[in-house]
Amino acid sequence: MKCRPSKSTGFSLVEVTLALGVAAVSLLAIFGLLAAGSRVNHTAGEQATAAALLTAVAGDLRATPPASTTSLQFGIAIPANPVGTPRSTTLYFDSMGKSSTSLGSDSRYRIVLTFLPNGSGRVATLLDLRVTWPGAANPINANSEAAETFLALDRN
């Protein structure tokens, strides 16, 4: 009988080192993406809340009868038509959606409503609604996030 030399069935040290190196580089890339994904998720949540606030304010203004000069839910003063000069109103919202006319320690969002000049006669009341966050930041500041919409109300 002839003895055959046995073949090695394990991995060499070089192969194990290369496999660990590839796994380490892959894990570093994945962990780097987790931080970016978390930031994107947070920003998306803030934008969704801002859009919901804009929708709530727009709905409140649309539901206000033409004869009324103050909105029903948020108490926004609506100027008589036609609007000659721009008029602004600022509302602050906390994380629970409670509104206030003054900046508080828990204010998270700021909505600036600007009633725009609209000419004369029977015309729509025009509004620019801009929400910024954080609420304490200057809305003109480049570091604050913002969402904006325009609204035309039939107040005739």
Side-chain angles (χ1 to χ4, degrees):
M1 281 209 298
K2 282 187 171 180
C3 273
R4 287 193 236 171
S6 65
K7 291 187 178 181
S8 175
T9 59
F11 295 105
S12 71
L13 185 58
V14 172
E15 291 171 331
V16 171
T17 305
L18 284 174
L20 286 174
V22 169
V25 168
S26 299
L27 286 174
L28 283 174
I30 290 171
F31 288 139
L33 289 174
L34 285 176
S38 176
R39 274 193 310 269
V40 168
N41 185 33
H42 176 72
T43 301
E46 294 283 350
Q47 289 174 346
T49 303
L53 289 174
L54 285 175
T55 302
V57 170
D60 178 38
L61 291 169
R62 285 188 178 125
T64 303
S68 180
T69 60
T70 305
S71 71
L72 304 172
Q73 183 178 1
F74 297 112
I76 300 166
I78 302 171
N81 225 0
V83 178
T85 59
R87 289 188 48 197
S88 292
T89 302
T90 303
L91 292 175
Y92 298 93
F93 289 84
D94 63 11
S95 60
M96 301 303 286
K98 184 180 173 195
S99 67
S100 172
T101 56
S102 60
L103 179 64
S105 61
D106 59 345
S107 296
R108 189 163 183 166
Y109 299 94
R110 175 192 306 219
I111 294 183
V112 177
L113 298 92
T114 306
F115 291 90
L116 303 170
N118 57 357
S120 61
R122 289 183 51 123
V123 294
T125 302
L126 306 175
L127 281 108
D128 174 24
L129 292 109
R130 181 175 172 85
V131 60
T132 57
W133 63 93
N138 184 352
I140 300 171
N141 189 351
N143 292 331
S144 66
E145 300 286 332
E148 187 172 18
T149 190
F150 296 95
L151 189 63
L153 302 174
D154 183 11
R155 305 277 305 153
N156 296 308

